[in-house]
Amino acid sequence: MNNKILLVTPPLLQPNCPYPATCYLTGYLKREGFEAEQRDLSVDLLNSIFTREFLCKIFNEFKETKDENISRIYSLSKNYIKTVETVMKFLRGEDDTISNLICAPDFLPQAGRFHEIEDIESGYGSSGIVDCAKYLATLYLEDLTDFINAVVTPHFGISRYAEKISLSVPEFKFLEEELVKPENIIEKLMMQILDAYISELEPGYIGFTVPFPGNLISSLRCGGYIKSNYPEIKVIFGGGYPSTELRQLTDTAVFKYTDYIVLDDGEIPLKNILTGGELVRTFTMNGKKVEYSGIDTENISHYERGCPDYSGLDVSRYFSLVETVDPMHRLWGEGFWNKIMAAHGCYWSKCAFCETSLDYICRYDPVNASTIVDQMEEVMSVTGKSGFHFVDEAIPPKLMKDIALEILKRELVVSWWGNMRFEPYFTSDLCQLLAASGCIAVSGGIEVASDRLLELMNKGVSIEELTIVLRNFYYSGIMVHGYLMYGFPTQTAQEIVDSLEIVRQLFRAELLTSAFWHRFAMTRHSYSGKNPEEYGVRIKGDIINKFANNEVRFAENRNYDIDTAGEGLKTALYNYMRKEGFDMPVNKWFRHKYPATEIEGTRVTDCLIQPDASRLYNDKTRVVFTGNIPQGTETGLLFRNNSSEKIVKADESEKRFLLEVFSLTADLDRVYTMVDLSELYSKYSEKPFSFLYHSKQWDVMRTYGLLQV
């Protein structure tokens, strides 16, 4: 039997880099001796849509419309057809010289999206010509997307497909109403590309990762095509969407489009499917009923999962979009980021809003730093790219420190970023160490920005602790994106306004680079969803759907309208990210009447004067030196970094002591603690070590790389 497997990323996802699921699965299956290949149907489809040939087809489908914007695009069809492949060539990074042409006043045809244009002058200036061109090229593709939505299908988006009809689907029949319609020309193109994969690779199995609702319809379309045209090939669905939405699946209709639906980590289920072994965490059809087979707890360790394998993915096909001038927001859609995961699950796993009962959250399983950096080097050798996005739920802070030390020890030049928790472990010195290793940004949950609600949701941090951590990242030059939440049960109108005031102060103090408000959604797999009575809400019906089951509808007695509250919060945030509107009272951002804030105007700045934990003496704390060994002068030591220099005054004995300290602690293979330095100091001076440690000289040396981590 043909047990060769093809793993496919279905349309549509962000086109700047591969989604990591197939990379990890392909690597594992190959190491287990299976024939495994992978393809990114999402990026291949986009590269086939934005071509002269395909644009000619969609413009031929145009019919008269009263929509002036769509008519304008059609009237400029000749210009779009002429420029589209030039624009795509530029966005793929094949020719940056095109940027000057793209930024010329009349090179790109312009329609409705260009009316929403941000301030290019202040965002990019005269020196940011390539960035400016990426922004304009993105608007250009979004105009074409609007035309496709009007003429071909409303389901198309550059990073999602038919997302709206795939949200909260109680029965499969609602999806099948769409699937029985004739394929549109985008779906026909999708099948042509899929067919080419099958002809080239001749797999016996094809697995689709379905991470989001915006990948579901395209996966089903592909599955139906395979079962109709290649009935000998078995189809497998897995990924984030099935693992969260389909855990109570009883709807048989979906199995017209797939043979297996796998939950949670796919390594063992796929291995057993391919070998004919006992099914694990897998839905199949048994006669006329859906059957769930296997043991939920059978998993491999994250170490056994191994290094992600990028073979089979053409790096040159990925392209960057720039939807905003904000530097932090741009990381998600711009640049080829090698995706890597330091630890499976979340080391905290206690937040009441999070799906902590599911395996991808609750089973925490890290890999040591040396192994992670080995994998980073291996991936770089394949992709030729040195940027890494850690896709962990929250990178453990101690592991972040160890990864940074390992990167520095190997003298690697990489840039990296990822999700974390704003907790006190992130001292100023640790943040400086992370920055020295190439950490450029972090994202994390500020959530409701209210101490009462943070405690209620068991977030494990306070506003004061969070603010100090943000300060430490800011002074280290690391960008910060904050996830914000509104509508958590029992949140009052006063707390809505007060949370916005905290956010206003954080942006005014430049502690946040960017942020985003999310409306709270209660899920079946969260603590709040399992224990709604603890949060004062009433569940509105508790019927188990035949198909998707995740979000829990609930009712509570709010003293405000949740929709208009969200509008006000998002409008205010839009202005704050552009450094505007700071002097406007926060309650004035809302259309309805809201109370004035009760938060003191100095709440955040009061937190900022708190001492840094890096300046608190601790015998067991490790000391490392990441800077350049200073030169001795008549009066002390001359420190230099890439942009500045400073003389630290020291007598002869202190100079000798410090030079030995720098030599020892620069060796990252050995661990030296504060107590080691204190004992060493006694050989050079009769004075207490605390005199030097608490001096201004020590503070200066910290800025040049003498770190307490």
Side-chain angles (χ1 to χ4, degrees):
M1 182 178 176
N2 180 6
N3 69 349
K4 182 177 183 179
I5 185 168
L6 168 62
L7 298 170
V8 176
T9 300
L12 286 159
L13 288 163
Q14 286 283 6
N16 59 308
C17 52
Y19 191 75
T22 64
C23 300
Y24 272 107
L25 291 170
T26 300
Y28 173 79
L29 292 172
K30 282 184 176 180
R31 286 187 290 274
E32 290 293 306
F34 294 98
E35 279 192 277
E37 297 283 350
Q38 63 182 323
R39 293 291 185 270
D40 191 335
L41 180 54
S42 181
V43 78
D44 286 342
L45 178 62
L46 288 173
N47 275 283
S48 299
I49 288 172
F50 295 116
T51 60
R52 291 187 178 196
E53 179 184 358
F54 194 76
L55 288 196
C56 287
K57 291 181 180 179
I58 65 169
F59 284 126
N60 285 337
E61 294 210 356
F62 175 76
K63 297 178 182 178
E64 289 298 324
T65 175
K66 294 181 180 180
D67 188 316
E68 292 183 4
N69 187 55
I70 301 304
S71 295
R72 173 175 173 78
I73 294 172
Y74 178 72
S75 70
L76 297 170
S77 58
K78 178 181 176 181
N79 295 359
Y80 281 106
I81 292 167
K82 176 183 176 181
T83 55
V84 66
E85 292 183 1
T86 298
V87 168
M88 290 301 294
K89 185 177 181 181
F90 166 72
L91 289 175
R92 288 193 294 264
E94 296 172 17
D95 188 355
D96 284 348
T97 63
I98 298 171
S99 59
N100 291 278
L101 199 58
I102 290 174
C103 291
D106 201 37
F107 176 72
L108 291 181
Q110 301 178 16
R113 295 295 182 137
F114 283 77
H115 298 156
E116 306 166 9
I117 201 163
E118 293 191 37
D119 186 355
I120 294 180
E121 180 88 29
S122 62
Y124 302 112
S126 59
S127 62
I129 192 75
V130 173
D131 284 348
C132 179
K134 286 181 181 178
Y135 178 52
L136 295 174
T138 301
L139 296 175
Y140 167 94
L141 292 187
E142 289 176 342
D143 274 336
L144 283 173
T145 297
D146 290 340
F147 187 83
I148 292 171
N149 288 162
V151 174
V152 179
T153 172
H155 299 326
F156 177 75
I158 293 177
S159 60
R160 58 188 59 85
Y161 190 81
E163 181 180 61
K164 289 184 179 179
I165 64 173
S166 301
L167 295 170
S168 302
V169 186
E171 294 185 42
F172 190 78
K173 66 180 181 180
F174 297 109
L175 296 174
E176 200 154 31
E177 288 173 3
E178 175 66 27
L179 294 168
V180 296
K181 296 177 182 177
E183 293 175 349
N184 59 56
I185 60 172
I186 287 179
E187 292 168 342
K188 289 178 181 177
L189 179 59
M190 191 189 309
M191 300 316 144
Q192 290 171 15
I193 299 169
L194 177 64
D195 202 83
Y197 295 162
I198 295 171
S199 298
E200 174 197 0
L201 301 171
E202 299 181 344
Y205 296 82
I206 300 181
F208 294 88
T209 180
V210 191
F212 308 115
N215 307 102
L216 180 60
I217 286 291
S218 59
S219 299
L220 292 166
R221 280 285 189 195
C222 291
Y225 177 83
I226 294 166
K227 290 181 75 66
S228 295
N229 295 277
Y230 299 95
E232 72 280 7
I233 297 177
K234 298 298 182 181
V235 178
I236 308 168
F237 286 174
Y241 182 89
S243 297
T244 55
E245 299 280 347
L246 306 185
R247 303 192 81 87
Q248 289 83 33
L249 178 68
T250 57
D251 202 321
T252 60
V254 67
F255 287 97
K256 299 175 187 175
Y257 303 85
T258 186
D259 298 287
Y260 305 92
I261 296 177
V262 169
L263 304 184
D264 302 327
D265 291 351
E267 287 83 1
I268 297 298
L270 287 179
K271 181 179 177 180
N272 289 7
I273 289 171
L274 295 177
T275 58
E278 182 180 358
L279 296 181
V280 175
R281 297 190 303 279
T282 303
F283 286 106
T284 55
M285 279 293 291
N286 183 3
K288 296 183 178 180
K289 292 185 177 181
V290 177
E291 181 176 81
Y292 182 71
S293 305
I295 305 167
D296 285 356
T297 56
E298 187 171 348
N299 285 295
I300 60 169
S301 69
H302 190 42
Y303 177 82
E304 292 174 294
R305 179 168 291 108
C307 183
D309 184 339
Y310 281 78
S311 63
L313 302 177
D314 185 350
V315 172
S316 68
R317 301 281 284 170
Y318 294 88
F319 59 95
S320 295
L321 301 177
V322 175
E323 298 174 339
T324 174
V325 300
D326 180 84
M328 181 71 197
H329 266 133
R330 287 172 59 177
L331 291 179
W332 277 275
E334 185 181 6
F336 187 101
W337 297 100
N338 301 306
K339 307 280 188 175
I340 199 163
M341 189 165 63
H344 182 284
C346 178
Y347 68 96
W348 177 250
S349 192
K350 297 177 183 178
C351 298
F353 57 83
C354 194
E355 295 177 315
T356 51
S357 66
L358 295 185
D359 179 79
Y360 82 100
I361 296 287
C362 69
R363 185 167 59 86
Y364 174 59
D365 178 20
V367 174
N368 65 61
S370 178
T371 299
I372 294 165
V373 181
D374 284 345
Q375 293 179 1
M376 292 172 72
E377 291 197 86
E378 184 176 338
V379 168
M380 281 193 290
S381 70
V382 175
T383 66
K385 309 292 185 180
S386 61
F388 288 85
H389 177 198
F390 283 86
V391 294
D392 301 57
E393 296 303 314
I395 315 175
K398 184 180 183 304
L399 188 52
M400 286 180 77
K401 178 184 76 175
D402 292 343
I403 290 169
L405 289 168
E406 191 69 23
I407 289 170
L408 291 168
K409 184 172 70 174
R410 301 189 193 191
E411 298 184 338
L412 299 179
V413 179
V414 296
S415 57
W416 59 279
W417 61 289
N419 206 42
M420 41 74 71
R421 294 182 67 248
F422 298 121
E423 59 174 87
Y425 192 93
F426 290 100
T427 64
S428 177
D429 280 14
L430 176 55
C431 292
Q432 193 173 330
L433 177 77
L434 298 177
S437 73
C439 179
I440 59 171
V442 293
S443 57
I446 297 172
E447 316 305 357
V448 285
S450 157
D451 281 328
R452 182 188 78 82
L453 291 170
L454 287 171
E455 183 177 358
L456 180 63
M457 62 173 55
N458 202 18
K459 185 67 181 178
V461 295
S462 66
I463 295 297
E464 180 176 308
E465 291 170 332
L466 183 148
T467 301
I468 292 171
V469 172
L470 294 181
R471 174 194 68 185
N472 295 340
F473 280 116
Y474 170 77
Y475 282 117
S476 299
I478 296 173
M479 296 185 292
V480 176
H481 177 82
Y483 296 112
L484 299 166
M485 180 188 297
Y486 67 97
F488 191 78
T490 75
Q491 186 178 34
T492 65
Q494 183 68 62
E495 287 172 322
I496 287 279
V497 173
D498 290 347
S499 67
L500 182 56
E501 173 62 16
I502 292 292
V503 171
R504 183 192 72 85
Q505 293 184 29
L506 291 174
F507 270 100
R508 189 163 205 169
E510 299 185 341
L511 301 182
L512 284 174
T513 311
S514 64
F516 189 83
W517 287 104
H518 300 259
R519 179 172 171 173
F520 169 73
M522 183 177 286
T523 71
R524 293 180 179 274
H525 314 302
S526 66
Y527 184 85
S528 58
K530 291 178 176 294
N531 303 277
E533 67 283 351
E534 293 186 24
Y535 299 90
V537 300
R538 304 183 306 279
I539 301 302
K540 296 170 69 173
D542 197 23
I543 299 172
I544 301 298
N545 298 321
K546 294 172 63 179
F547 189 64
N549 291 276
N550 190 22
E551 186 170 345
V552 176
R553 297 173 64 240
F554 66 93
E556 66 170 327
N557 297 319
R558 291 195 182 103
N559 62 344
Y560 59 93
D561 179 72
I562 190 69
D563 293 323
T564 56
E567 291 171 10
L569 292 170
K570 291 172 183 177
T571 301
L573 183 62
Y574 177 87
N575 284 274
Y576 296 160
M577 287 197 293
R578 285 151 184 79
K579 304 185 187 304
E580 298 173 354
F582 291 131
D583 294 329
M584 181 173 171
V586 289
N587 62 323
K588 300 302 182 184
W589 290 106
F590 302 94
R591 285 195 287 119
H592 296 165
K593 186 175 181 180
Y594 276 76
T597 182
E598 295 180 352
I599 300 294
E600 291 290 331
T602 59
R603 174 69 185 278
V604 165
T605 53
D606 288 344
C607 296
L608 296 180
I609 64 174
Q610 298 299 315
D612 178 19
S614 295
R615 293 303 280 123
L616 302 176
Y617 182 85
N618 183 332
D619 278 344
K620 297 179 181 179
T621 305
R622 182 177 180 180
V623 181
V624 299
F625 183 61
T626 63
N628 302 298
I629 300 296
Q631 292 177 296
T633 69
E634 290 184 3
T635 58
L637 295 170
L638 174 60
F639 288 83
R640 289 191 176 98
N641 60 26
N642 289 343
S643 58
S644 66
E645 59 183 51
K646 181 82 172 179
I647 292 179
V648 172
K649 292 183 178 180
D651 59 32
E652 287 302 316
S653 62
E654 286 177 335
K655 281 197 288 186
R656 293 196 304 273
F657 164 72
L658 289 171
L659 287 171
E660 184 171 356
V661 166
F662 299 139
S663 176
L664 293 173
T665 57
D667 180 1
L668 299 182
D669 283 317
R670 300 183 66 181
V671 176
Y672 294 93
T673 64
M674 273 295 177
V675 72
D676 295 327
L677 269 58
S678 180
E679 291 173 358
L680 179 64
Y681 187 71
S682 66
K683 298 178 182 179
Y684 288 91
S685 175
E686 294 180 355
K687 294 184 292 185
F689 176 62
S690 59
F691 279 31
L692 177 61
Y693 176 73
H694 292 296
S695 68
K696 290 183 179 178
Q697 294 99 310
W698 194 278
D699 283 332
V700 173
M701 292 186 291
R702 289 175 66 219
T703 65
Y704 282 88
L706 185 61
L707 306 177
Q708 179 179 327
V709 296

